[in-house]
C-alpha cells in the first residue's frame, strides 16, 4: 500500500459492520504502536485505529491490515540525523476541528526537528470539545508551547550552551492574532486561557533573547 491509512476514513460507517476478535485486534494495534517511536508517518493512522480497541469492527480490522501492508512496502523508511554545528529547534502545529465522528473532539498534531530530522511528534485527541476551529488551533498551540519549553531545557542541559530562538509554524492566522493581540480576548473569553498562556510564554522568553517566534506556514498546492 502507498498510504498508511484508507482514504476518506472519516466517511466510513461501521455501525452495521460485523465485530472481530478484540484480543487479536489489540495485539495488532499494540505491535504497530512500537513502530510509532521511529516512524512518524504512522502516528495518525495508529492513533485513529487505537480508538476502537474496545469494540473493533471488520472495517477497523481491514484498516489495520492496510497499515501493515504499508509497513511491509516501506521497511526502508526511517529518520536520518546528520551531524551539524547549529542547533535550531523548530515546531509545526496543526489541528482538525471535530475530527472524531463519535465524540466530536478535535485532534492535536505537532512535530519538532533540530535541523536534520524530527525528534518529537504527537497526534492526540483533545480532552474537551472545541466550539470553533480557532479554539481547536489554540488548544493545539498551547501543547506545542509546553513541548517547546521542555525540549529547550533538555537541549540546554545536553549541550550546555544557548540555542537559537524556537520557531513555531502555524497555518491559522486567527490563532496567531489571538496570541499576539489582547484586544481580541474580550470577544473570545472561552479560549483566553490558552491564548494568554501562549502570549505570556512568548514575551517572557523574548526578554531572555530566546523567544518563541510565530511564523505563518502556507503549503504549496
Amino acid at each position: 500500500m502507498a498510504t498508511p491509512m484508507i482514504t476518506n476514513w472519516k466517511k466510513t460507517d461501521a455501525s452495521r459492520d460485523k465485530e472481530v476478535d478484540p484480543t487479536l485486534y489489540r495485539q495488532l494495534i499494540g505491535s504497530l504502536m512500537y513502530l510509532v517511536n521511529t516512524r512518524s508517518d504512522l502516528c495518525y493512522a495508529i492513533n485513529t485505529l487505537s480508538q476502537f480497541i474496545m469494540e473493533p469492527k471488520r472495517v477497523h480490522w481491514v484498516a489495520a491490515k492496510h497499515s501493515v501492508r504499508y509497513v511491509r512496502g516501506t521497511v526502508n523508511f526511517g529518520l536520518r540525523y546528520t551531524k551539524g554545528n547549529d542547533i535550531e529547534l523548530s515546531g509545526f502545529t496543526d489541528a482538525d476541528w471535530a475530527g472524531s465522528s463519535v465524540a466530536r473532539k478535535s485532534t492535536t498534531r505537532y512535530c519538532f526537528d533540530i535541523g536534520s530530522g524530527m525528534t518529537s511528534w504527537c497526534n492526540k485527541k483533545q480532552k474537551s470539545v472545541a466550539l470553533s476551529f480557532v479554539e481547536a488551533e489554540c488548544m493545539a498551540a498551547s501543547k506545542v508551547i509546553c513541548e517547546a519549553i521542555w525540549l529547550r531545557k533538555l537541549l540546554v542541559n545536553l549541550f550546555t550552551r544557548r540555542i537559537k530562538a524556537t520557531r513555531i509554524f502555524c497555518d491559522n492566522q486567527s490563532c496567531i492574532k489571538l496570541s499576539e493581540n489582547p484586544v481580541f480576548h474580550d470577544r473570545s473569553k472561552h479560549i483566553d486561557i490558552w491564548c494568554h498562556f501562549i502570549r505570556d510564554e512568548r514575551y517572557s522568553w523574548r526578554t531572555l533573547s530566546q523567544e518563541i517566534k510565530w511564523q505563518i506556514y502556507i503549503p504549496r498546492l
Side-chain angles (χ1 to χ4, degrees):
M1 295 297 178
T3 58
M5 198 170 184
I6 300 176
T7 308
N8 296 328
W9 167 261
K10 295 181 180 180
K11 298 181 180 180
T12 305
D13 185 15
S15 58
R16 298 181 180 181
D17 209 345
K18 297 181 180 179
E19 296 184 358
V20 297
D21 186 5
T23 302
L24 188 61
Y25 182 80
R26 293 167 189 169
Q27 291 176 351
L28 178 58
I29 298 301
S31 301
L32 291 173
M33 284 183 177
Y34 285 99
L35 296 178
V36 180
N37 296 326
T38 56
R39 294 287 300 272
S40 57
D41 52 341
L42 297 172
C43 190
Y44 176 76
I46 305 306
N47 173 267
T48 304
L49 295 174
S50 62
Q51 300 176 15
F52 307 98
I53 58 176
M54 298 303 299
E55 297 180 357
K57 300 297 182 66
R58 179 172 176 79
V59 63
H60 305 140
W61 176 254
V62 173
K65 292 176 65 177
H66 181 101
S67 300
V68 174
R69 294 189 179 99
Y70 170 77
V71 173
R72 183 177 181 181
T74 59
V75 291
N76 296 325
F77 284 15
L79 298 174
R80 182 179 180 181
Y81 302 99
T82 58
K83 184 179 179 180
N85 297 325
D86 295 334
I87 302 175
E88 184 177 358
L89 182 65
S90 301
F92 301 84
T93 175
D94 193 14
D96 65 345
W97 182 36
S100 175
S101 59
V102 179
R104 284 304 176 185
K105 293 183 179 181
S106 306
T107 304
T108 298
R109 308 184 187 98
Y110 64 82
C111 62
F112 286 90
D113 68 86
I114 316 181
S116 61
M118 284 196 297
T119 57
S120 176
W121 53 86
C122 177
N123 188 97
K124 187 177 182 180
K125 185 187 295 184
Q126 296 178 359
K127 295 182 179 180
S128 59
V129 179
L131 301 179
S132 64
F133 186 73
V134 180
E135 182 177 352
E137 289 283 351
C138 289
M139 294 173 66
S142 64
K143 296 295 183 181
V144 173
I145 299 299
C146 293
E147 185 74 10
I149 295 173
W150 182 82
L151 289 175
R152 288 186 64 90
K153 293 181 179 179
L154 179 63
L155 292 175
V156 170
N157 293 330
L158 288 176
F159 298 100
T160 63
R161 62 187 178 93
R162 301 168 68 92
I163 61 177
K164 295 182 180 180
T166 301
R167 294 185 300 171
I168 304 297
F169 293 86
C170 180
D171 59 351
N172 188 275
Q173 294 194 21
S174 299
C175 178
I176 298 175
K177 296 299 182 181
L178 281 172
S179 62
E180 292 179 345
N181 194 345
V183 176
F184 293 97
H185 295 165
D186 294 336
R187 288 175 284 178
S188 56
K189 293 182 179 180
H190 58 293
I191 56 177
D192 60 349
I193 297 177
W194 302 299
C195 293
H196 276 293
F197 173 74
I198 300 171
R199 178 169 167 265
D200 291 343
E201 291 298 332
R202 179 185 181 191
Y203 287 103
S204 62
W205 282 61
R206 173 173 294 181
T207 58
L208 301 176
S209 300
Q210 297 178 347
E211 72 275 11
I212 298 176
K213 296 181 179 179
W214 281 104
Q215 184 166 345
I216 301 175
Y217 174 69
I218 302 177
R220 294 182 179 180
L221 300 178

